Amino acid sequence: MVDVTEKEMDNPTFKSDTVLSDVHLHCPNKRHLMVRLNAVGQPVFLSYFKLLWSTEDLASEKQVREATTEKEHQYRSGDELCAKDRNNVKKEREFNSEGVETLLDDDGDLDVVRRPRSASDLEVEDLLRDRVCPVILMKGKEDAFEDEEQECTGSNVVKIEHTMATPLEDVGKQVWRAAFLLADYILFKRETFRCCSVLELGGGTGITSIIMGTVAKRVYCTDVGEDVLAMCEQNVALNKHLMEPGRGEVKVKELDWLKDKFSTDPEAPYSWSEEEIADLHDHCTVIMAADVFYDDDLTEALFRTLYRITHNLRNSCTVYLALEKRLNFTLRHMDVTCEAYSHFRSTLSDLENLQDGKMKYTVEPIKLDFCQFLVYERIEQLELWKIIAEQLT
């Protein structure tokens, strides 16, 4: 999306820093209720994400995906037919250049017979338009959501407030596919995380921490910025119904990767108490982060934070990193590249090869053949990595 602002009438400035998550566009029939404006004036939307626990749910979602795939196949087939028509016209032109009379209409214009458009083509076009045009309802029209809200209750729905189409610095306020991927893995490996103490870095809207809170004992969901932390805290409150009695405590805290210490100012919102820092260092055995590798400086800051925190933990821990490789054409390389991902892999390799005599980091990718519990596109660009941080002394 490109925004145009004008400092002067004859001197327009073009900005192209607006980002929109594909998660908000994947489900063509989803409606987004705008519930409020946040502190910086951005519209905040409420979305429902269904957890697919039963085989019936999985089967129905599979049918929907297969129907969509069939429609897309029909659309591609139509494109192929159009390509054949274009080739036929080209052959006719070549044939006519050899002296055969060209077909002309009454006015002397070239008469081209066009393939009639089928109803399936129109249906596919409608489907594709719906996929990129989510329906937005304003607060005050909750009656339009009454039926949906009745369906979206109980222990199988996650309610998330989020923004859409934000500047790059506010992408943490959106929901991203890698967060869903990590949530899938948590639900698939419930027993692995049961009763654990967990730290999430760059929690954003908090959806991954909320899913982790359904099985873990305590989750510290961290990010930076009062606005995103307030949104995260609201989402935790919206999903208390998912937490098991006596478990699932999710604490929203500030953690700035560019600073070497926890924020302990009692006057600052979302700061840490000395007891909470001690609890983290004494009991944390899992650290996780999802879709936070889009800026080289922040990637390096994240790994420095990982290094510092794992050194201060009493026990060894396991780190889970989920990400999506995003390919872009760059003028510098004159090719399609993924520089942010390349820097991530380089920094990950540096961590694994680090030898300081205190910690050993073992890195391995996780196969993405586990069950899908949330509705999203598990594209081939998604990856999940596991780092085992072992203390040597």
Side-chain angles (χ1 to χ4, degrees):
M1 182 180 295
V2 179
D3 296 331
V4 181
T5 60
E6 291 188 1
K7 295 181 180 179
E8 299 178 3
M9 292 299 292
D10 57 347
N11 186 25
T13 301
F14 295 90
K15 295 183 179 180
S16 58
D17 61 347
T18 305
V19 183
L20 176 61
S21 167
D22 290 337
V23 169
H24 307 314
L25 305 179
H26 175 59
C27 301
N29 298 321
K30 287 294 183 183
R31 294 173 292 177
H32 300 273
L33 174 64
M34 195 186 96
V35 293
R36 60 185 173 87
L37 295 177
N38 62 18
V40 294
Q42 297 168 332
V44 176
F45 300 90
L46 176 65
S47 292
Y48 299 95
F49 300 103
K50 185 178 181 182
L51 295 173
L52 307 177
W53 295 112
S54 66
T55 55
E56 290 80 6
D57 288 336
L58 292 170
S60 62
E61 294 297 338
K62 181 180 180 182
Q63 291 173 359
V64 171
R65 288 193 295 270
E66 288 176 348
T68 304
T69 303
E70 176 63 24
K71 290 290 186 181
E72 292 175 345
H73 175 71
Q74 293 175 7
Y75 186 76
R76 288 194 296 269
S77 298
D79 284 346
E80 292 171 1
L81 289 174
C82 290
K84 291 180 180 178
D85 290 341
R86 288 192 293 270
N87 290 333
N88 290 337
V89 171
K90 181 179 180 181
K91 290 180 180 178
E92 288 178 2
R93 289 177 178 173
E94 294 174 351
F95 186 63
N96 292 335
S97 65
E98 296 176 0
V100 179
E101 183 179 359
T102 303
L103 295 177
L104 303 176
D105 61 14
D106 295 337
D107 297 329
D109 298 322
L110 181 64
D111 189 9
V112 178
V113 179
R114 300 186 181 277
R115 179 177 64 87
R117 301 178 71 186
S118 65
S120 62
D121 291 335
L122 299 177
E123 290 175 2
V124 170
E125 288 187 3
D126 289 339
L127 174 64
L128 294 178
R129 280 198 298 268
D130 287 343
R131 290 181 69 183
V132 296
C133 297
V135 179
I136 298 175
L137 300 180
M138 300 291 291
K139 188 174 183 180
K141 298 182 179 180
E142 289 90 346
D143 55 327
F145 266 70
E146 184 176 352
D147 294 338
E148 186 170 345
E149 287 184 341
Q150 290 177 356
E151 296 177 2
C152 296
T153 56
S155 60
N156 65 335
V157 170
V158 184
K159 301 176 183 180
I160 295 295
E161 288 191 1
H162 59 87
T163 59
M164 293 196 290
T166 64
L168 187 61
E169 61 267 20
D170 285 337
V171 292
K173 299 174 184 177
Q174 298 190 53
V175 183
W176 298 93
R177 269 190 291 238
F180 279 15
L181 177 69
L182 185 51
D184 274 346
Y185 186 75
I186 293 167
L187 294 172
F188 181 69
K189 293 282 191 179
R190 292 182 193 83
E191 295 305 317
T192 300
F193 302 107
R194 193 169 297 279
C195 299
C196 287
S197 183
V198 182
L199 169 68
E200 181 176 13
L201 302 174
T205 62
I207 186 168
T208 309
S209 283
I210 290 167
I211 296 298
M212 179 64 84
T214 63
V215 291
K217 179 180 180 181
R218 183 175 294 108
V219 182
Y220 291 99
C221 181
T222 68
D223 212 308
V224 63
E226 186 174 346
D227 201 42
V228 67
L229 291 170
M231 178 185 291
C232 181
E233 189 172 52
Q234 170 68 7
N235 286 330
V236 171
L238 285 173
N239 293 279
K240 286 291 187 181
H241 61 285
L242 297 175
M243 311 302 176
E244 296 182 15
R247 295 179 187 167
E249 183 183 16
V250 180
K251 293 190 173 185
V252 179
K253 296 294 176 182
E254 182 179 31
L255 182 56
D256 191 341
W257 306 341
L258 300 178
K259 298 180 180 178
D260 293 334
K261 296 182 179 180
F262 293 93
S263 173
T264 57
D265 182 1
E267 300 297 325
Y270 308 106
S271 62
W272 297 71
S273 67
E274 295 296 337
E275 292 77 11
E276 288 169 336
I277 296 175
D279 175 67
L280 176 73
H281 288 159
D282 290 342
H283 301 106
C284 180
T285 56
V286 175
I287 300 176
M288 61 182 184
D291 229 330
V292 295
F293 304 103
Y294 55 89
D295 177 87
D296 291 355
D297 292 337
L298 290 179
T299 296
E300 293 177 4
L302 170 68
F303 277 97
R304 286 196 300 269
T305 301
L306 273 178
Y307 178 82
R308 173 173 56 86
I309 292 178
T310 54
H311 271 66
N312 290 325
L313 296 181
R314 173 176 292 183
N315 305 302
S316 298
C317 81
T318 305
V319 182
Y320 297 93
L321 304 177
L323 71 153
E324 178 180 339
K325 294 184 290 185
R326 293 180 173 86
L327 303 175
N328 297 287
F329 180 86
T330 62
L331 292 175
R332 184 172 65 171
H333 296 92
M334 291 303 292
D335 197 2
V336 176
T337 62
C338 191
E339 293 182 309
Y341 175 73
S342 299
H343 191 73
F344 161 76
R345 289 297 304 272
S346 175
T347 312
L348 185 65
S349 178
D350 291 342
L351 181 69
E352 185 176 27
N353 296 327
L354 181 67
Q355 296 181 357
D356 62 357
K358 298 180 180 179
M359 297 289 298
K360 177 184 178 183
Y361 297 95
T362 305
V363 178
E364 60 182 73
I366 297 176
K367 292 183 179 181
L368 307 187
D369 56 357
F370 47 88
C371 296
Q372 188 166 334
F373 294 90
L374 288 156
V375 181
Y376 67 101
E377 293 176 291
R378 190 179 286 184
I379 58 177
E380 62 181 9
Q381 286 79 22
L382 288 171
E383 290 188 1
L384 183 58
W385 292 83
K386 179 168 71 171
I387 305 172
I388 300 174
E390 299 179 83
Q391 297 183 354
L392 299 179
T393 57

